[in-house]
Amino acid sequence: MRIKKLVGTFAVVLAITAGATGCGSRSGAANPSDGADNAGALVGISMPTQTSERWIADGRNVSESVTKLGYKTDLQYANDDIPTQVAQIENMLTKGAKALIIAAIDGTTLTDVLAKAKEQNVKVIAYDRLINGTPNVDFYTTFDNYTVGVQQATSLLTGLGLLDASGKKVDGKGPFNVELFAGSPDDNNANFFWTGAMDTLKPFLDAGTLKVPSGQTKFEQAAILRWQAPVAQKRMEDILTSAYSSGTKLNGVLSPYDGLSIGIISALTSTGGYDKGTLPIVTGQDAEKGSVKSIIAGEQYSTIFKDTRQLGGQAVKMVDALLKGQEPEVNDTKTYNNKVKVVPAYLLKSVIITKDNYQKELIDSGYYSDADVK
């Protein structure tokens, strides 16, 4: 009898233990040991390039913030070379990284290396650019990229006088000649920027208030691979030669990124013969120092400010939660389908910057100092 009672008691203990473990698994609760195991863990940070001051700042800010939380970091820049980025991420996995924060050069080229990450139970956060074609991306943090496109087009329309400061339509203006530029076709964000901008411009194009003398109104015609300023400058020069050589005046240029805007303005002042006082309305994005200086000087009209301090901070919160076995905060679970799954995301807000508000948004907020942009 004594043996039977002991066996029975042991069986009950086993059942209770198994039941408790099973409940924890079904509820998705974190294993308390996860956080302890990941204390001081290595976090890989993969940035696409150092040719843009924005990405240099992003990498530095994310790395410093992750380090302050007690984790180790491996920050790498791939200089716009896809095989380099893949090799760098593989090396991070070899070093034992427990999480990856990745701003992809091409969001479709990381499937194999992220499969390796999954095998090692490494968590992956897509940073600003969605990683496509793989189930092995856990979360995404970015700005509302469709809205960024809307803001770019809105600032173009405001600069042309078709909208007032409140965004209300102004009648009796136009027609105006504009040209359209898009971002890199291998960057998922470029499509969101373009769609937001074109949805905003379409009523004006349909009404004839805006015209595109080059006839290049499709994304494939406007796209600039790898967001390269020299490529944008060459395309603008070609458009000026082919569509404006007879004296037609160009009134505005939709540019999705400050680096492209600088190239476009270079073409306008050389091939186009425009000077600072007669430049078309040129938009931009990222509030890079060079373009902010250009806006202050009355050359570039606007840019879109995406406070990368907030973006980096959100990525760091996500990776910290994951390494502690917790669920990161998200505010969008519908928009970003990477062709395999909808990636849960946290979207941040952006701001239109012109000469009128750069001081408040960029200087007073501490993003830049006066010396940075003077």
Side-chain angles (χ1 to χ4, degrees):
M1 282 297 291
R2 182 174 175 79
I3 292 174
K4 287 182 178 180
K5 285 183 180 180
L6 288 172
V7 171
T9 302
F10 183 62
V12 170
V13 172
L14 281 177
I16 292 172
T17 304
T21 304
C23 287
S25 177
R26 285 194 299 273
S27 69
N31 185 333
S33 67
D34 288 348
D37 290 344
N38 289 325
L42 178 65
V43 177
I45 304 167
S46 176
M47 293 286 149
T49 184
Q50 287 178 299
T51 60
S52 165
E53 66 184 46
R54 176 263 164 101
W55 291 116
I56 296 172
D58 280 42
R60 182 180 63 249
N61 291 339
V62 171
S63 181
E64 289 175 354
S65 297
V66 170
T67 302
K68 286 179 182 178
L69 293 177
Y71 302 109
K72 303 181 185 70
T73 62
D74 182 7
L75 169 62
Q76 298 292 332
Y77 293 89
N79 297 319
D80 282 324
D81 184 68
I82 294 168
T84 297
Q85 185 166 49
V86 171
Q88 288 173 344
I89 295 171
E90 287 178 338
N91 192 43
M92 292 171 188
L93 294 174
T94 299
K95 290 179 179 178
K98 297 293 185 181
L100 299 171
I101 298 173
I102 302 173
I105 297 169
D106 182 337
T108 66
T109 60
L110 301 178
T111 302
D112 291 343
V113 71
L114 294 191
K116 295 178 182 178
K118 179 66 175 180
E119 290 173 2
Q120 297 179 29
N121 197 31
V122 175
K123 300 299 183 182
V124 176
I125 296 170
Y127 183 91
D128 203 37
R129 296 176 174 179
L130 185 61
I131 300 171
N132 287 306
T134 174
N136 301 317
V137 52
D138 297 286
F139 291 92
Y140 179 39
T141 184
T142 188
F143 291 83
D144 186 335
N145 294 312
Y146 178 88
T147 298
V148 170
V150 171
Q151 290 174 324
Q152 289 172 341
T154 298
S155 67
L156 176 63
L157 295 169
T158 303
L160 290 172
L162 293 171
L163 298 178
D164 64 19
S166 69
K168 183 179 178 182
K169 187 175 179 181
V170 178
D171 295 326
K173 300 284 185 178
F176 293 109
N177 295 320
V178 299
E179 294 298 333
L180 311 171
F181 283 72
S184 186
D186 55 11
D187 182 346
N188 192 70
N189 288 352
N191 292 284
F192 281 95
F193 301 149
W194 176 262
T195 302
M198 294 307 291
D199 284 352
T200 305
L201 297 179
K202 188 176 187 301
F204 297 88
L205 291 166
D206 289 347
T209 309
L210 296 181
K211 297 183 177 181
V212 183
S214 71
Q216 298 180 22
T217 59
K218 296 180 179 179
F219 177 85
E220 294 76 13
Q221 296 171 308
I224 304 297
L225 184 64
R226 302 282 190 271
W227 303 89
Q228 293 295 308
V231 178
Q233 179 171 343
K234 177 64 165 58
R235 178 170 181 260
M236 188 76 258
E237 289 170 349
D238 291 344
I239 288 173
L240 289 169
T241 301
S242 63
Y244 293 86
S245 58
S246 62
T248 302
K249 183 180 179 182
L250 176 61
N251 304 109
V253 182
L254 176 75
S255 170
Y257 163 56
D258 287 346
L260 304 189
S261 307
I262 296 298
I264 289 165
I265 291 171
S266 294
L268 291 169
T269 55
S270 56
T271 303
Y274 294 87
D275 57 36
K276 186 172 73 172
T278 63
L279 278 168
I281 300 300
V282 180
T283 66
Q285 180 183 184
D286 281 347
E288 293 192 344
K289 292 176 186 177
S291 281
V292 176
K293 291 178 181 179
S294 181
I295 289 170
I296 295 170
E299 299 165 347
Q300 186 172 321
Y301 175 74
S302 65
T303 186
I304 306 301
F305 175 42
K306 295 159 48 176
D307 193 335
T308 55
R309 294 172 300 183
Q310 297 177 13
L311 182 64
Q314 195 59 43
V316 172
K317 286 180 184 178
M318 283 182 165
V319 79
D320 187 41
L322 288 168
L323 290 175
K324 290 177 177 176
Q326 301 167 357
E327 190 75 8
E329 179 185 5
V330 298
N331 59 13
D332 186 291
T333 57
K334 297 180 179 179
T335 305
Y336 290 94
N337 190 321
N338 76 348
K339 301 180 177 62
V340 174
K341 70 175 188 180
V342 175
V343 182
Y346 193 98
L347 306 183
L348 297 157
K349 294 181 179 180
S350 50
V351 180
I352 298 172
I353 299 294
T354 66
K355 194 173 183 177
D356 294 332
N357 69 340
Y358 84 89
Q359 178 75 37
K360 174 188 174 184
E361 299 293 344
L362 300 177
I363 308 302
D364 294 350
S365 73
Y367 192 79
Y368 289 138
S369 68
D370 273 313
D372 286 332
V373 295
K374 293 293 177 65

